[in-house]
Amino acid sequence: MKTSDPITLVVATDNFYAILLSALVKSIELNHKSGEKIHVHVIDDGISSKNIKLISETVSKDMFTFFWHKTNTVVPKDVKFPDDISALPITVYMRLFAPYLIPKETKKMLYLDVDMIVLKDISELWNVDLGDKLFAAVQDRCATMLSKWGGVANYKELGLQADDAYFNSGLLLLDPIRWRAMDVPNKVIKVISENTKYAKWPDQYGLNVVLVNQWVMLDPRWNAFADNKYEDPFLVHYLNIKPIFKSYKSQPEYYDLFHQYLKQTPYKNFRVLSNRHLMLRKVITRISKKIGALKRKK
């Protein structure tokens, strides 16, 4: 891949968490020293025109180009999402379709969850050699398919091994051409639909089942979970309560890091939200998913 080729990044968010995207791209900009342009494809699940403008103004137009894709244009109309048991928003499934919205000739793409900040030059991650593997990721906290709280509880029935490595799907550096050729989204959705009661983290469950042993294991510092302490993390992932809430309970230094970047964006005057906002967010997510499930059954 030529050094002049842009870094292709895909993210997905709704309007509520759009502020996280601003901090993410600002952190990428301030730590990116190697000169590649960055193309950011945003899967937009109802982001307001105001937030689109603010996010676009967060970073240099010389370095960043944004492409906005409405959710209903990303997912094929014949795709039916599983009625999963999680309280996660529907945007978690968008990573499955990310390789379909970028230019067809793109040979590599990076998907990041929006609740992250990058502390190292993103080009170092971008230049990881995939070899003959489909993608690169970081091993999840539960580490293997056999886990009391995560992993794949029914791994035996699915023909998997207890010690097969289990990855976190928040960061995926992948080959989009092979991803499309393998029809990954439909395979993952089928697995989730057939094993709903085991899919606590639905998209991650399905991806780990379908793509077992097809990935390069990255340095864990490329997906440092905010509730743990790391020496020199490269990327911090706010897996649990996000640092925009007063009820944030992860490592305090990562809370401070997030707000250091946020203060350098158009959201610099943002006030941390009360726990009421967090609870309301969860209720709205569950209701919207139930409504969606009822519509799909009609």
Side-chain angles (χ1 to χ4, degrees), residues 74-87:
V74 173
V75 181
K77 292 182 179 179
D78 60 343
V79 170
K80 293 185 178 180
F81 291 117
D83 299 331
D84 67 63
I85 58 174
S86 78

Side-chain angles (χ1 to χ4, degrees), residues 15-33:
N15 194 55
F16 189 85
Y17 283 132
I19 188 172
L20 299 178
L21 176 55
S22 186
L24 170 60
V25 294
K26 193 65 183 180
S27 70
I28 293 173
E29 177 190 39
L30 295 180
N31 293 294
H32 182 46
K33 310 299 181 185

